[in-house]
């Protein structure tokens, strides 16, 4: 199999987290922003724990200042995804990094990213995300600007950040506002925290999909619930292994979740931070877990079914995942 050529969906990708280190370094030089401690001697992002990863991520975001910066980044990331066979993607975008929650500013960033996405061969939709460790009040502001700009390419709302902070219920108001605006809902849970985090997220936020959810495997009753309710997991195996959630792919829960009837999809999360890309993810699933074209078709069909897009786009892209 030529793994880069397999047609792919990627539902879980943080735009800022997909920024190549060279892209960030170039902007830092242009804008004279100090990046000491962000890169190692080989030019890779530096972090050793989940919390440090989030801190490095936010430092790198400091150079992304203008709508043009985000437009350039959107173009570069979509081009890279196209090289790996991605035909449909959803990008997590944080309004907190795009004007700090100011609606007028966010509209300008969104316009620049939309323009870049519309010229790409990859079909893209946006999921605006609140940052959990910034707290529920900031999340409400994020939800409000997202609700105001829902439509066009902005079709989803989600939450990333430090899963150990606050409770899921603290963010119910924000998620309710986004739901009322017609946005699809997803939240990170069961990545660094255990099954309780997933259960609380489903109960309090009534999301359609869960970002990661891979630690659900620790609770058979929760696994059964995910299967029964058809909750879609955005699984990012390379990210989980890099962050030490599982030691390797053979120990990863993705196979056991699938065998239990849970709907899984595959994405990269923040590829340069985790030294991965979609080609590597598919190659590893094939070589280490024996996945075939049929398995790839199944996860991509599941992803298109769960995609936050209109029906015409869904059926057009679904046709690419029929064993071609
Ligand atoms: N987890 C939580 N928050 C994030 C991540 C992640 O992997 N990437 C960017 N924000
Ligand atoms: Zn993520």
């Amino acid at each position: 199999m030529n793994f880069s050529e397999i047609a792919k969906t990627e539902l879980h990708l943080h735009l800022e987290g997909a920024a190549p280190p060279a892209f960030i370094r170039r902007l830092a030089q242009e804008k004279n922003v100090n990046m000491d401690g962000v890169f190692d001697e080989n030019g890779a992002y530096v972090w050793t724990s989940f919390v440090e990863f989030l801190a490095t991520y936010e430092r790198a975001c400091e150079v992304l200042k203008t709508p043009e910066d985000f437009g350039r980044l959107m173009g570069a990331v979509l081009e890279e995804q196209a090289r790996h066979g991605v035909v449909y993607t959803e990008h997590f975008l944080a309004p907190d990094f795009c004007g700090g929650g100011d609606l007028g500013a966010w509209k300008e960033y969104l316009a620049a990213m939309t323009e870049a996405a519309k010229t790409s061969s990859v079909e893209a939709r946006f999921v605006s995300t609140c940052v959990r460790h910034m707290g529920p009040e900031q999340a409400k502001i994020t939800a409000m600007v997202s609700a105001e700009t829902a439509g066009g390419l902005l079709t989803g709302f989600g939450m990333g950040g430090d899963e150990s902070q606050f409770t899921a219920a603290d963010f119910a108001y924000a998620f309710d506002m986004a739901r009322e605006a017609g946005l699809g809902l997803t939240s990170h849970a069961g990545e660094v925290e255990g099954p309780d985090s997933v259960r609380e997220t489903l109960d309090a936020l009534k999301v359609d999909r869960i970002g990661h959810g891979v630690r659900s495997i620790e609770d058979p009753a929760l696994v059964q619930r995910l299967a029964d309710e058809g909750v879609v997991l955005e699984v990012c195996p390379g990210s989980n292994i890099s962050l030490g959630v599982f030691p390797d792919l053979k120990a990863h829960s993705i196979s056991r979740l699938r065998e239990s009837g849970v709907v899984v999809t595959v994405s990269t999360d923040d590829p340069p931070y985790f030294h991965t890309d979609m080609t590597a993810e598919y190659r590893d699933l094939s070589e280490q877990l024996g996945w075939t074209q049929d398995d790839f078709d199944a996860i991509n069909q599941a992803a298109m079914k769960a995609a936050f897009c209109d029906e015409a786009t869904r059926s057009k892209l679904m046709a690419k995942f029929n064993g071609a």
Side-chain angles (χ1 to χ4, degrees), residues 1 5-9 258 263-266 282 291-305 317-324:
M1 257 188 278
E5 285 179 3
I6 297 173
K8 303 173 184 73
T9 53
R258 271 188 100 203
V263 181
V264 306
T265 62
V266 169
Y282 277 48
W291 284 32
T292 64
Q293 181 67 51
D294 284 349
D295 295 303
F296 294 132
D297 282 341
I299 58 164
N300 285 311
Q301 285 167 8
M304 275 326 300
K305 238 170 133 176
L317 285 154
M318 193 67 97
K320 294 189 184 287
F321 304 117
N322 287 325

Side-chain angles (χ1 to χ4, degrees), residues 12 14 188 212 269:
H12 189 122
H14 301 261
H188 286 58
H212 300 286
D269 210 4

Side-chain angles (χ1 to χ4, degrees), residues 31-50:
K31 295 166 192 276
N32 223 356
V33 179
N34 184 326
M35 286 278 113
D36 285 354
V38 172
F39 303 107
D40 67 14
E41 63 280 9
N42 300 316
Y45 291 115
V46 177
W47 56 272
T48 55
S49 66
F50 179 64

Side-chain angles (χ1 to χ4, degrees), residues 139-292:
K140 278 184 200 170
I141 295 170
T142 305
M144 202 157 26
V145 302
S146 305
E148 288 289 334
T149 49
L153 296 190
L154 181 62
T155 55
F157 180 76
M159 177 161 66
D162 187 349
E163 194 187 338
S164 70
Q165 306 287 310
F166 304 97
T167 67
D170 292 331
F171 298 92
Y173 186 97
F175 276 74
D176 285 346
M177 206 183 328
R179 184 183 309 102
E180 278 165 27
L183 294 165
L185 302 180
T186 178
S187 177
H188 286 58
E191 176 191 18
V192 291
E193 296 294 315
D196 284 349
S197 171
V198 177
R199 210 177 288 107
E200 285 166 17
T201 299
L202 291 173
D203 291 341
L205 305 183
K206 300 176 181 61
V207 290
D208 309 294
R209 308 192 317 225
I210 293 277
H212 300 286
V214 291
R215 286 193 57 193
S216 303
I217 200 69
E218 295 165 28
D219 181 343
L222 175 61
V223 172
Q224 191 61 49
R225 175 178 176 185
L226 294 175
D228 290 347
E229 295 181 9
V231 177
V232 174
L233 302 188
E234 303 154 3
V235 179
C236 307
S239 160
N240 298 148
I241 293 162
S242 188
L243 281 167
V245 181
F246 299 99
D248 53 40
L249 196 51
K250 289 217 163 78
H252 195 286
S253 60
I254 191 166
S255 300
R256 286 170 289 153
L257 289 164
R258 271 188 100 203
E259 283 155 15
S260 305
V262 178
V263 181
V264 306
T265 62
V266 169
S267 299
T268 59
D269 210 4
D270 307 280
Y273 284 85
F274 303 135
H275 306 287
T276 187
D277 56 53
M278 286 298 275
T279 302
E281 296 288 342
Y282 277 48
R283 182 187 304 118
D284 289 349
L285 288 163
S286 169
E287 291 179 355
Q288 297 185 43
L289 300 184
W291 284 32
T292 64

